[in-house]
Amino acid sequence: MKVLICGKGGSGKSTITALLAKSMAKKGYNVLVVDSDESNFGLHKQLGLEMPEDFMNYLGGKKTLGEKLMQAYQTGDTASIFENKWQISDIPEDYTVEKDNIKMITIGKIHDFGEGCACPMGALAKNFLINTETTPEDVVFVDTEAGIEHFGRGVEEGCDLVLMVLDPSYESIRLSEKINELAEKAGKPLYFILNRADKIGTQLMMETVDKNRILTSVPSNSEVFIAGFEGDELKVELPEIESVADFIISGIHS
C-alpha cells in the first residue's frame, strides 16, 4: 500500500505522516516514508531520524537526473532511470535513514539560491513510486509539497490511496474541491483527515466536504505542538491516528 498525503501549507501533512508512520511501524509493518517536499526540512525530526542524503544524488544530481528524465520521457522507458524494479529493502542504504521499522528517503531539497525549479524532483518521485514494489507487510507514506503541483507531476500515479489533511480554513476547503476533482481524474480513492479542529471547526467542515470520506478529526494536542515547535520526535499516540491506521490496514488486506 502506497499512501500519498497532501493538503495546503501548514495543514499538518508532515505531522500526520509521521504519526501514521509510527503507528504502522508499531503494528509490525515495514514503513517507508518518502519526503517529496523539496522545501520542508522538519519531517525527519518528527520521526526521530537524521536527514538522509538527497536521493536524486544517487542518479547523479539534478542536472544528470534531468537528462535521464528527458531520455525516459522521449523513449517512454522508465528503465532509463531505474535498471530494475526494487522493494523497500533494495533501496540503496546510503540514501536512507532507519529507526524502529521506519525507513525514510528524501527525494531532493532546494539547497541553493537560483538552483532552478523542482520539476526533476517531482518527476523522480513519480518514477520512484512506480518502480518500488510493496508486499502486504509494507506501507509507504508520501509527504508532498503544499497544494496540487504533485498532481500536475503525476506523483499520484504510483500510489494506491490519497489522504488530504484539512485544517479549519476557507483555503483548505476550497483546495479540497480541486483535489477531489484531480483525484477522480487520476483514478485514486480520496479520503480526508480533519486536523486541529475544535467542535465548531469539525462541524463546519463536515457540512462542507463529503462526510463519507472523512476518516477522523484530530484535535489540537499540546504535546504534538510542542514537539513540532522544538523539532523533537513525536512520541504521542492518538486514537484518531490509530483509526486511520486501521483503515489503511483494512485496505491492505482487502
Side-chain angles (χ1 to χ4, degrees):
M1 176 72 76
K2 300 173 188 173
V3 182
L4 183 139
I5 299 175
C6 63
K8 80 171 188 61
S11 62
K13 298 183 300 297
S14 296
T15 298
I16 296 298
T17 299
L19 290 171
L20 282 172
K22 283 180 164 287
S23 174
M24 293 297 289
K26 287 180 180 178
K27 295 178 187 297
Y29 286 85
N30 303 313
V31 178
L32 174 66
V33 176
V34 179
D35 181 0
S36 69
D37 184 351
E38 64 275 356
S39 61
N40 183 346
F41 289 81
L43 177 58
H44 65 290
K45 289 289 188 180
Q46 293 177 312
L47 292 167
L49 297 168
E50 296 298 320
M51 174 73 84
E53 182 178 350
D54 288 0
F55 181 67
M56 67 177 179
N57 292 337
Y58 172 71
L59 298 171
K62 182 180 282 189
K63 181 179 179 180
T64 301
L65 170 61
E67 294 171 352
K68 290 181 178 179
L69 289 168
M70 180 58 68
Q71 179 184 356
Y73 174 76
Q74 292 173 343
T75 63
D77 182 12
T78 56
S80 61
I81 302 176
F82 299 102
E83 294 182 0
N84 302 294
K85 292 278 187 178
W86 57 29
Q87 295 187 341
I88 292 175
S89 59
D90 299 320
I91 300 171
E93 293 183 0
D94 289 345
Y95 298 90
T96 64
V97 289
E98 189 170 359
K99 177 183 177 182
D100 299 334
N101 243 31
I102 298 175
K103 183 177 289 188
M104 178 180 173
I105 183 170
T106 295
I107 297 298
K109 297 292 181 184
I110 299 295
H111 295 287
D112 298 309
F113 173 78
E115 71 174 70
C117 76
C119 297
M121 301 174 197
L124 176 57
K126 170 186 175 180
N127 283 275
F128 172 82
L129 291 167
I130 292 173
N131 188 71
T132 303
E133 298 177 332
T134 56
T135 73
E137 289 74 42
D138 302 328
V139 62
V140 178
F141 291 107
V142 186
D143 186 26
T144 63
E145 75 276 12
I148 57 174
E149 189 168 352
H150 43 88
F151 276 101
R153 297 171 180 172
V155 177
E156 280 75 5
E157 183 177 340
C159 296
D160 306 298
L161 172 68
V162 178
L163 298 180
M164 180 182 178
V165 181
L166 288 87
D167 62 9
S169 67
Y170 175 83
E171 294 86 352
S172 199
I173 294 300
R174 295 286 77 82
L175 182 63
S176 72
E177 297 171 353
K178 186 62 178 180
I179 286 181
N180 181 58
E181 173 189 333
L182 294 172
E184 286 185 359
K185 289 182 177 179
K188 303 298 179 180
L190 168 67
Y191 291 89
F192 302 111
I193 297 175
L194 312 185
N195 191 39
R196 296 196 302 268
D198 57 16
K199 184 176 181 180
I200 295 177
T202 298
Q203 179 180 344
L204 290 173
M205 285 192 285
M206 291 186 71
E207 293 174 354
T208 309
V209 300
D210 185 351
K211 295 179 183 179
N212 296 322
R213 295 188 181 184
I214 297 175
L215 296 182
T216 191
S217 179
V218 183
S220 297
N221 181 285
S222 59
E223 189 174 348
V224 171
F225 172 80
I226 293 171
F229 183 82
E230 296 182 347
D232 292 334
E233 179 180 358
L234 293 174
K235 297 182 178 180
V236 62
E237 295 183 23
L238 304 176
E240 296 84 4
I241 294 297
E242 296 303 309
S243 69
V244 178
D246 290 340
F247 174 82
I248 293 171
I249 291 171
S250 68
I252 292 174
H253 298 289
S254 63

